[in-house]
Amino acid sequence: QVQLVESGGGLVQPGGSLRLSCAASGIWFSLTTGTWYRQAPGKQRELVANITPDGRTYYSDSVNGRFSISRDNAQNTVYLQINSLKPEDTAVYYCCAAQNYWGKGTQVTVSS
């Protein structure tokens, strides 16, 4: 069965950085698009970034220039490096594969 497991979230000060990971089983990021979404309390889930099997990357305007998505096919893991963090980046960050499969999320809290 397909399983996606996010990790790497936590509490960080404004301006800090985290590296989020999405480890997949039963599906391969070498063959399908990996996407990061986030959802803050009371807000709609929003697209953050994605990476296609051929390496094309896309970012939302709100994170462009601060976040970076990457992939390690050998580890079957998609990463999201999140830098210059702001309090408004606080959310649960979710990984999605093939637009069908979802992890349960990892909490990122940006606060001083």
Side-chain angles (χ1 to χ4, degrees):
Q1 293 184 349
V2 173
Q3 183 173 227
L4 302 175
V5 180
E6 302 98 333
S7 62
L11 176 64
V12 64
Q13 292 184 330
S17 299
L18 289 170
R19 190 193 194 203
L20 310 182
S21 299
C22 175
S25 59
I27 195 166
W28 291 265
F29 287 122
S30 60
L31 301 176
T32 192
T33 296
T35 305
W36 285 96
Y37 291 81
R38 67 185 182 186
Q39 187 169 30
K43 298 183 68 177
Q44 198 85 8
R45 180 174 290 181
E46 64 172 325
L47 174 68
V48 175
N50 63 29
I51 184 166
T52 64
D54 63 356
R56 291 172 293 169
T57 59
Y58 303 89
Y59 300 94
S60 69
D61 290 341
S62 63
V63 308
N64 191 35
R66 299 188 297 121
F67 291 10
S68 180
I69 191 169
S70 62
R71 180 186 63 226
D72 185 336
N73 287 338
Q75 298 282 6
N76 199 23
T77 299
V78 167
Y79 303 95
L80 185 69
Q81 180 71 37
I82 58 177
N83 301 316
S84 302
L85 288 166
K86 309 171 183 179
E88 51 263 45
D89 294 317
T90 296
V92 178
Y93 285 70
Y94 296 92
C95 179
C96 175
Q99 304 180 54
N100 292 316
Y101 304 102
W102 294 80
K104 294 185 177 181
T106 184
Q107 176 72 47
V108 172
T109 302
V110 185
S111 177
S112 59

